[in-house]
Amino acid sequence: MTDQKKTKRRITSVDVAREAGLSRATVSFVLNDTPGQSIPEATRQRVLQAAARLGYTPYAPARTLRSGRSDVVLFVLPDWPQGPTMAELVDRAAQVLAGAGLTLVTHVHTGRDDDLARLWTALAPAAVFGMRPFTAGERAGMKRANIAAVLPSPEQSGHDVGSTLWLNGVGRLQAQYLIGKGHTRLAYVLPDDPRLSALGQGRAEGAAQACAEAGLPVPIVSTIPLDTAAAAETVAGWRQPRTAVCAYNDEVALALLAGMRELGTSLPVIGADDIPAARFAVPPLTTVAQDSGELGARIAAALLRALNGEPSQLDVLPDAGIRVVERESA
């Protein structure tokens, strides 16, 4: 006798037919919910009860071949570091879609032209959502793959959900908060990760807009690695003293706080994302929190409407769900 465990055999419709004492054709009609078949309700229940007793689950690849699409919904994400805000969005969307019997799969798109085409073929997704608008070529590929629901829709092709939530709104709110506290000379500090360059510039532009609206000079913009000595060097190198600092995210803010401690100085600092470590910073970090879970639920609901042939307009307001969590650092 060997220690190797035997692989449990998958329960098939043949097993269900045998258990129910019915023909394979009848069982197949019930399990696949085949339209146009007059199956008595008692027979249908007999099949479903037999399937439940045996623990039968549909075989996904076979179901995909029959229907031409899977029960997969694909989220195409930009090539950004996937932090807690994006994780919350994806988790909430997955919960909503799971309630409708769909499975969420995420793909980080690095820009290779053939990556998405291979995905359409491999997954045959029922629906696709893009954090950034799809190109005309990508849309044509999805049309050839008979993907039923795509968001943003062609009418929303200029709508960039990523920019709306992660860029201008955050930077604007950070600056507005500091301006409301009486600060007039701001700095905006970005991470040195090249993948975050566009996001960082977008947040800095949002802060600049808020300053311009208040009649204040635009913030100076600096870039730092997540390093205490580098942060200290950056703060010490500002030729004109700043009254407060906006950090691209909480990690950058924590580096700034550490750098200022090394210099023996302090400035009000506001971060973004409200990561768990923010509340344990010294001093506890004021930050901008985003209700990305609510956005994930709205995206999922819009995709479900699209799959049902209903209007699927996705409205994302720049300031929706974005708020300041006030602590001691600012």
Side-chain angles (χ1 to χ4, degrees):
M1 190 173 177
T2 66
D3 293 333
Q4 186 176 3
K5 293 181 179 179
K6 293 182 179 180
T7 302
K8 186 177 180 180
R9 186 176 66 85
R10 181 183 223 5
I11 300 298
T12 69
S13 60
V14 174
D15 300 309
V16 177
R18 186 181 302 113
E19 175 75 10
L22 296 168
S23 71
R24 292 173 60 181
T26 298
V27 168
S28 178
F29 290 150
V30 173
L31 294 178
N32 295 318
D33 199 18
T34 305
Q37 301 297 321
S38 299
I39 306 293
E41 183 59 26
T43 301
R44 182 180 299 277
Q45 290 302 317
R46 184 173 164 185
V47 172
L48 295 177
Q49 289 167 11
R53 285 195 301 273
L54 294 175
Y56 168 83
T57 56
Y59 185 45
R63 184 173 64 245
T64 299
L65 287 173
R66 286 192 300 270
S67 65
R69 76 181 193 199
S70 66
D71 292 335
V72 167
V73 171
L74 180 65
F75 269 30
V76 180
L77 308 179
D79 186 19
W80 303 338
Q82 306 302 314
T85 302
M86 183 69 79
E88 184 182 356
L89 183 151
V90 170
D91 286 349
R92 186 71 183 99
Q95 291 172 10
V96 174
L97 293 169
L102 299 169
T103 299
L104 177 62
V105 174
T106 60
H107 171 72
V108 176
H109 184 37
T110 58
R112 288 171 53 98
D113 293 339
D114 55 348
D115 280 356
L116 294 181
R118 286 200 298 269
L119 275 178
W120 313 150
T121 302
L123 297 179
V128 177
F129 169 76
M131 191 61 68
R132 292 282 179 85
F134 293 110
T135 66
E138 289 164 351
R139 289 189 173 280
M142 286 185 279
K143 185 175 182 180
R144 289 192 297 271
N146 295 316
I147 296 173
V150 178
L151 287 180
S153 65
E155 295 76 19
Q156 297 173 283
S157 60
H159 181 64
D160 188 332
V161 176
S163 293
T164 300
L165 181 63
W166 274 272
L167 271 67
N168 304 66
V170 171
R172 176 186 290 271
L173 184 57
Q174 287 175 307
Q176 288 173 338
Y177 173 82
L178 293 175
I179 293 168
K181 295 290 185 181
H183 297 288
T184 57
R185 298 188 308 278
L186 305 183
Y188 208 101
V189 180
L190 307 176
D192 65 349
D193 188 333
R195 295 173 298 171
L196 295 173
S197 176
L199 281 172
Q201 289 301 321
R203 289 187 176 183
E205 288 170 7
Q209 291 167 6
C211 288
E213 291 165 2
L216 299 175
V218 300
I220 61 170
V221 177
S222 301
T223 301
I224 65 167
L226 298 181
D227 176 79
T228 299
E233 183 179 353
T234 296
V235 173
W238 288 333
R239 293 184 178 180
Q240 295 181 335
R242 302 290 98 188
T243 61
V245 185
C246 304
Y248 166 80
N249 62 12
D250 291 344
E251 287 88 350
V252 171
L254 293 174
L256 284 167
L257 291 176
M260 286 188 284
R261 282 198 302 273
E262 185 168 286
L263 288 173
T265 188
S266 65
L267 287 173
V269 176
I270 184 170
D273 289 344
D274 194 23
I275 63 175
R279 69 197 67 180
F280 303 115
V282 181
L285 181 63
T286 296
T287 186
V288 172
Q290 306 170 62
D291 192 358
S292 56
E294 173 60 25
L295 176 58
R298 281 189 278 152
I299 292 169
L303 287 169
L304 293 175
R305 290 195 300 272
L307 286 170
N308 291 329
E310 302 169 7
S312 57
Q313 182 75 16
L314 176 62
D315 295 319
V316 183
L317 300 176
D319 298 326
I322 302 178
R323 68 191 188 282
V324 173
V325 178
E326 190 171 43
R327 299 190 181 102
E328 295 173 21
S329 73

